[in-house]
Structure formats: C-alpha cells, structure tokens
Amino acid sequence: MYSAEEYLELERAADYKSEYYRGEIFAMAGAGRNHNRIKENLSGEVYIALKGKSCQSFSSDMRVHIPENTLYTYPDLVILCGKPEFLDQQTDTLLNPSVIIEVLSSGTGEYDRGQKFHLYRSIPSLVEYVLIDSRKLTAEVHRKADSGLWVLASEAYAIDEFIKISHIGLQLKMSDIYAQTDDII
C-alpha cells in the first residue's frame, strides 16, 4: 500500500505512467496504432474547435486527480473550460476537467466504460464523458443532466455519422475520428 504522496513522488520520477487508486499503483499498458491514431485525430479536431476560445485541451500526459475517490489517472484527452485548478505548484495534476475523452482498447474498454466512468462521475466540474472505440466504429457522448444524472446524449456507429460534444460546441465526424486507421469494423 502506498500513500498518495508516495505515489506522486514515484510517478514524477518514473519513465512510464501509472494510475493510483486506494493505495495501489497500476502500470498503464501501451497503446496500439489505431488507439494512437484516433487520439491524434481527436486532438487535432479539438484543437481547431477550441482555437481562440476560453477552453483548452491536454493530451494523455496530463494527470487528473479525483480527491473524492483517490484516483489519479491519465485520460486520453482532457478539455478544460475556465481557470485550471491543480493539485499543487507542479501543475501536472488537474482537478477540474470539463470533458474527458477515452479511446477504448481491448485492455481498457471495460474499465473505461464501467469502473472508471463511475469514478469520473465524482468530478464536480465534469459535464461530458466521451468514449471512442479503437476496434470498431463506435462513439458515445455521455452528458451530466441538470438533475446530476448521466445520460447518453450522442452516439454514432457508421463512418458517415457524427457525435456532438455540446459543452464546446463540437460536432465530430466519424470519418475524421477514424481517419487513417486500419481494420476498424
């Protein structure tokens, strides 16, 4: 068992990324080609959509911490609208993401869709959670309703469809998300 302070000390000196949850440290698996291609495609589209606006995006190197449940993790893409709140002066651990995007793979899909989504819902500032599958044409946007409940707000399952990330006013075409990927069904 590790304390959060021990984890951060180890993590900041490590050559690889790990997640932390309730005293345990979990090494993160490497991502495959399609996963990386989708993440880069999303990063480019989000950058263009946010240019000149008050929101900003961070790649998978920005750690997110959820004090309510102890999780430290690295989402594939984080969008922040408003003033960033960091854990400490290191400014490497964000506390107030607005939108989190995860690219699902065979090793992470169930976790990202299930337990991790459950943990993410503890973030007061989070309003949308986007899941993009790296194995098949599947994209979903989950949005926090005014009631606090999470609803499936947008989904797409074909290359000519799109999803909408309403919080930043972005409509993403599946053809742009999956550009230059291989063997996606």
Side-chain angles (χ1 to χ4, degrees), residues 2-21:
Y2 294 88
S3 70
E5 293 77 18
E6 290 170 321
Y7 160 76
L8 283 173
E9 184 178 332
L10 291 168
E11 188 67 9
R12 287 174 172 156
D15 293 331
Y16 58 90
K17 295 185 288 189
S18 298
E19 291 187 339
Y20 174 89
Y21 181 61

Side-chain angles (χ1 to χ4, degrees), residues 1-2 15 18 22 28 31 46 64 89 132 138 140 153 158:
M1 296 295 276
Y2 294 88
D15 293 331
S18 298
R22 292 187 177 174
M28 294 181 66
V46 168
V64 169
Q89 66 280 7
I132 309 292
T138 301
E140 300 173 352

Side-chain angles (χ1 to χ4, degrees), residues 57-180:
S57 64
F58 298 96
S59 72
S60 57
D61 286 333
M62 177 56 74
R63 184 174 36 251
V64 169
H65 175 53
I66 310 168
E68 290 81 2
N69 58 44
T70 77
L71 180 67
Y72 286 85
T73 189
Y74 295 87
D76 287 312
L77 196 64
V78 176
I79 299 168
L80 167 72
C81 296
K83 183 176 178 174
E85 296 173 16
F86 293 104
L87 180 67
D88 55 30
Q89 66 280 7
Q90 297 280 339
T91 66
D92 61 357
T93 306
L94 185 67
L95 299 174
N96 63 328
S98 304
V99 178
I100 291 177
I101 301 174
E102 292 285 10
V103 179
L104 309 178
S105 61
S106 57
T108 65
E110 283 186 39
Y111 173 57
D112 288 341
R113 183 178 293 289
Q115 179 66 13
K116 199 172 197 183
F117 184 24
H118 175 75
L119 296 171
Y120 280 155
R121 290 191 295 251
S122 297
I123 303 172
S125 60
L126 189 68
V127 294
E128 287 182 306
Y129 182 51
V130 183
L131 298 169
I132 309 292
D133 201 309
S134 68
R135 300 154 298 170
K136 58 187 176 185
L137 289 169
T138 301
E140 300 173 352
V141 179
H142 298 267
R143 186 171 304 123
K144 184 169 29 175
D146 291 339
S147 66
L149 296 176
W150 285 85
V151 297
L152 179 61
S154 181
E155 60 187 324
Y157 301 98
I159 201 71
D160 60 343
E161 295 179 342
F162 64 89
I163 57 170
K164 186 169 185 178
I165 303 175
S166 295
H167 191 66
I168 59 170
L170 177 59
Q171 186 169 291
L172 282 167
K173 293 187 242 175
M174 294 288 275
S175 58
D176 291 334
I177 294 170
Y178 287 95
Q180 298 180 324

